[in-house]
Amino acid sequence: MKTIKSRQSGDTGEALTRPGPAHIPFTTASLWRLKGISWVWLGTATICIVLLAVGAPLNINLYRMALPFALGMAILHSAALGLTAARPAAGVLVSIIPMAVMPLVSDPVGAAPMPFSVVAMNTQVLVICVAALRSHWMVPAAGWLASVMVGVVSNYLTMPHGQSEGAQYNVVIFAAVSGGLMVAAVVAQQWQHIRAELVAERTVSAEELSRRRLAEERTRIARELHDVVAHGMSVVVVQATTATYRHPGLSEEVKAEFDDIAANSRRAMTEMRSMLGSLRNEQAGRELGPQPNLADLPRLFVSARSAGVTIPEPELSDVERYDISEVIALTAYRIVQEALSNVIRHAPGATVTIGFAVNNGRLDLSVVNSSSAVGAVMAQLDKGAHVGQGLIGMRERAAIVGGSVVCIPTSDGGFSVTARLPLGANNGNASKATNSTKGSALP
């Protein structure tokens, strides 16, 4: 049989693709989150409207500002509060403008609070608190310091009737109240950050614990497989190897059969060790396990023939013209391997016809065995409490690379396994297919 080309690991089409945006499912929790955000913005807009409705008339009646200044200062200060909710630094900067301009254009009536109105001071306190909740602490601190400096400068330079004792008290009260609320808001923000970081750390810890438990479980499975299988296979190898010495006078045909049994057992132990290595090391590379392809089928056929199965040489001239990817070749090999294993177990002595063909960009393979006189007896003897996984494994391997497997009895009492595999595994499934087929052995 001619050697069929198989691509190297770098030619399997496993090029990385740019991941698309992750789809976040719409849940009740996300709905409530959206509702919460909507209520926050609705509340902010309501507060801005109330401050505007109160501040503009107050500026006209109590501080005798001209209409453009009275309305403009109220609109600008209320808008600064809304802007702070979205852009804290810009909102704080805008809020300083009406605070600085208001003392210059005011002519207070009687004992009206100076240098700022009550509405202006309340608005500025809200601006500073919102900035403290929405940004780094330096932004509200700078806004608080600038507001206090504007109040101090207004007491000495810009007030229309000069400095007053009440104006000084107002600046002190404003600095104390706004500073205290700013510190409380900063502490609340830091608490939220610490809480979020704690949740993230707990999530990471849970993931690490899950990975550690998975690694421990993989190690336990590998250890138990080694204890259960390795001892039995070692006994088979030793008995088959020493049979010619323990039983002198064996014919050459019997000696050759014992040699085949020993060779097949050693090969099975090698693949089992590779599989156990993959279980123990999740990040193990592909070199841990053998990677057979269609070119290794002759050795598989020889092994099956030594077990009494008749296999005519398959025709591969149609397949040899194509460059079959490594993953697809490995998957096809494992399907043929499993099908022959089932024939050896359930239909010893049967004739197996194996066919390969390439049609419409896919590799079609079939393994069809005839009926066996002792097949029914072997099937009864092989019954047990366990459920066979061979056919399931073949279907899973084919599905991973985008193919399919059909397993049905034939009309003459035999069995047919037909697989359809794409010539090249797609990028998203290539690595999964390699991992799933790595180190697999005859069951």
Side-chain angles (χ1 to χ4, degrees), residues 3 14 124 129 197 249 312 355:
T3 302
E14 299 177 3
Q124 193 64 14
C129 290
E197 291 176 358

Side-chain angles (χ1 to χ4, degrees), residues 207-441:
E207 293 175 353
E208 291 293 338
L209 179 61
S210 177
R211 282 194 289 266
R212 185 168 66 250
R213 288 178 177 174
L214 178 60
E216 292 174 354
E217 181 66 14
R218 290 164 66 96
T219 303
R220 185 188 66 81
I221 294 173
R223 184 170 58 251
E224 292 185 359
L225 279 175
H226 181 272
D227 294 340
V228 172
V229 180
H231 174 72
M233 294 301 298
S234 299
V235 173
V236 172
V237 172
V238 172
Q239 288 180 337
T241 305
T242 61
T244 56
Y245 304 100
R246 292 184 290 104
H247 303 285
L250 294 177
S251 64
E252 294 299 326
E253 182 180 353
V254 174
K255 290 180 181 180
E257 185 169 347
F258 275 119
D259 291 339
D260 290 339
I261 293 173
N264 292 333
S265 300
R266 292 191 189 95
R267 184 162 54 252
M269 289 186 65
T270 300
E271 294 195 6
M272 185 196 69
R273 292 191 185 99
S274 300
M275 180 182 65
L276 296 184
S278 300
L279 283 174
R280 288 193 175 97
N281 183 10
E282 184 178 5
Q283 303 299 329
R286 300 166 75 176
E287 68 278 4
L288 288 178
Q291 299 295 309
N293 52 40
L294 299 182
D296 298 305
L297 287 175
R299 187 175 62 179
L300 182 63
F301 296 157
V302 170
S303 176
R305 292 186 183 108
S306 66
V309 176
T310 302
I311 305 177
E313 198 69 24
E315 177 61 39
L316 293 174
S317 59
D318 186 39
V319 180
E320 290 178 343
R321 299 197 305 265
Y322 296 90
D323 197 12
I324 309 297
S325 72
E326 180 183 357
V327 173
I328 297 303
L330 177 59
T331 302
Y333 179 91
R334 293 303 185 193
I335 292 175
V336 174
Q337 183 185 43
E338 178 61 35
L340 290 178
S341 175
N342 290 335
V343 174
I344 294 171
R345 182 184 300 121
H346 301 296
T351 299
V352 181
T353 302
I354 301 176
F356 294 89
V358 175
N359 298 310
N360 299 324
R362 67 172 183 265
L363 172 65
D364 296 338
L365 67 90
S366 62
V367 181
V368 183
N369 65 275
S370 63
S371 60
S372 173
V374 296
V377 177
M378 295 297 296
Q380 292 296 324
L381 294 175
D382 194 50
K383 280 187 175 180
H386 68 280
V387 178
Q389 300 295 316
L391 301 183
I392 297 176
M394 285 192 288
R395 293 190 182 99
E396 289 177 347
R397 289 189 178 102
I400 286 174
V401 298
S404 62
V405 172
V406 177
C407 306
I408 56 174
T410 60
S411 59
D412 60 353
F415 201 79
S416 171
V417 175
T418 304
R420 291 185 174 183
L421 307 174
L423 286 181
N426 56 64
N427 293 336
N429 293 332
S431 60
K432 290 171 59 181
T434 303
N435 292 334
S436 65
T437 55
K438 185 194 303 180
S440 299

